[in-house]
């Protein structure tokens, strides 16, 4: 039972809104423009990585995922607004800035792109095939995993609930798109909303969750909240 739900809800919202903009991918900001400082190349030993490996970069709150393609290349899904405006691969392939990333989250657009291990991990430690233990009988062949990733290259829709970086890698390596981070987030939201002692906390979490679900701007709040809270209470 939550002793003081409003402060805890506010803290949860701050953390989960960080997930929405994937700041765990770009933890170091430089300057007032929110741009990122490029990582120093050559920091990672890729000699033990194999084509088709699932790479996992834990952050303070969340995890970023990618599929290793060999030759210091990682395929991963990132929110990005730029593919909505141009087909110029040279521009799109540049390291995604925080502005591009945040606008991509808002517009629900992303791309499956290839970056170096350094750009993908951005200074974080890398776990290799750490999720295999959860899919013991479903691990696809390494080449099949890599080929699936390569076939999905390019612009795609983005959704925190239905199509994020974890959905991408689990589909490629295990054949089924799932996201344990999203499941945990939804359960936490349900837990807070079910605590009827705090209407304010419920409204705040409800608003954040509606943002996550990406409902159309023309939808009115009363229309949204009735089915939303019925769903959450189920």
């Amino acid at each position: 039972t939550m002793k003081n739900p409003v402060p805890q809800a506010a803290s949860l919202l701050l953390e989960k809104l960080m997930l929405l903009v994937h700041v765990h991918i770009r933890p170091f900001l430089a300057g007032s423009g929110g741009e990122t400082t490029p990582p120093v190349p050559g920091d990672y030993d890729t000699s033990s990585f194999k084509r088709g490996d699932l790479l996992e970069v834990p952050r303070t709150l969340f995890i970023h995922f990618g599929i290793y393609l060999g030759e210091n290349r990682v395929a991963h899904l990132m929110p990005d607004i730029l593919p909505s405006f141009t087909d110029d691969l040279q521009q799109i392939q540049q390291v995604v800035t925080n502005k591009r990333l945040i606008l991509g989250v808002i517009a629900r657009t992303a791309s499956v792109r290839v970056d170096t291990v350094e750009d993908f991990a951005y200074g974080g430690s890398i776990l290799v095939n750490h999720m295999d233990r959860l899919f013991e009988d479903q691990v696809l062949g390494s080449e099949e995993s890599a080929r699936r990733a390569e076939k999905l290259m390019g612009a795609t829709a983005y959704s925190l609930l239905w199509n994020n970086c974890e959905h991408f890698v689990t589909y490629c390596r295990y054949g089924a798109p799932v996201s344990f981070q999203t499941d945990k987030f939804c359960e936490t939201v349900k837990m807070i909303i079910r605590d009827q002692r705090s209407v304010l906390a419920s409204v705040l979490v409800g608003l954040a969750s509606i943002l996550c679900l990406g409902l159309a701007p023309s939808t009115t709040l009363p229309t949204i909240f009735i089915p939303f809270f019925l769903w959450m209470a189920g």
Side-chain angles (χ1 to χ4, degrees):
T1 303
M2 299 176 65
K3 295 181 180 180
N4 196 351
V6 174
Q8 292 189 34
S11 176
L12 173 72
L13 284 173
L14 177 61
E15 294 179 358
K16 300 312 176 185
L17 287 174
M18 289 173 66
L19 173 60
L20 289 179
V21 297
H22 279 218
V23 294
H24 58 294
I25 303 175
R26 294 288 184 266
F28 308 112
L29 301 182
S32 59
E35 302 305 318
T36 55
T37 302
V40 178
D43 287 346
Y44 296 93
D45 179 10
T46 62
S47 60
S48 62
F49 295 173
K50 298 178 181 178
R51 179 172 162 84
D53 280 349
L54 190 157
L55 304 187
E56 185 174 332
V57 182
R59 296 298 185 190
T60 303
L61 298 174
F62 308 105
I63 302 171
H64 187 50
F65 299 89
I67 297 293
Y68 188 64
L69 300 180
E71 299 178 347
N72 199 39
R73 298 175 302 130
V74 183
H76 59 133
L77 186 151
M78 282 187 64
D80 187 3
I81 191 66
L82 197 56
S84 299
F85 296 98
T86 180
D87 294 326
D88 188 338
L89 295 180
Q90 187 173 1
Q91 291 187 44
I92 293 173
Q93 192 54 37
Q94 294 177 2
V95 175
V96 178
T97 63
N98 289 284
K99 291 178 181 178
R100 281 171 56 182
L101 187 148
I102 293 171
L103 290 173
V105 171
I106 296 172
R108 287 174 282 161
T109 61
S111 66
V112 176
R113 52 184 287 126
V114 174
D115 284 306
T116 65
V117 171
E118 289 78 18
D119 284 338
F120 163 76
Y122 221 82
S125 60
I126 298 177
L127 302 177
V128 182
N129 299 330
H130 184 64
M131 294 183 70
D132 283 5
R133 70 193 192 285
L134 303 175
F135 298 88
E136 293 181 2
D137 300 324
Q138 296 175 250
V139 180
L140 302 176
S142 296
E143 186 60 28
E144 172 66 16
S145 299
R147 287 179 178 176
R148 284 186 173 220
E150 290 168 340
K151 287 180 181 178
L152 293 175
M153 295 295 299
T156 184
Y158 176 79
S159 168
L160 173 66
L161 296 183
W162 313 117
N163 193 39
N164 61 39
C165 62
E166 190 173 5
H167 291 107
F168 166 67
V169 297
T170 51
Y171 167 76
C172 291
R173 188 161 177 86
Y174 311 118
V178 298
S179 175
F180 296 107
Q181 293 186 109
T182 297
D183 292 344
K184 186 176 180 180
F185 168 56
C186 291
E187 287 303 315
T188 305
V189 170
K190 287 183 181 181
M191 179 188 69
I192 290 180
I193 290 181
R194 283 170 178 166
D195 189 337
Q196 299 177 0
R197 294 179 304 165
S198 175
V199 175
L200 176 59
S202 296
V203 170
L204 289 174
V205 176
L207 287 171
S209 301
I210 288 169
L211 176 61
C212 295
L213 290 168
L215 296 177
S218 60
T219 307
T220 60
L221 284 178
T223 304
I224 292 172
F225 271 103
I226 294 174
F228 176 78
F229 284 112
L230 287 175
W231 175 75
M232 280 295 182

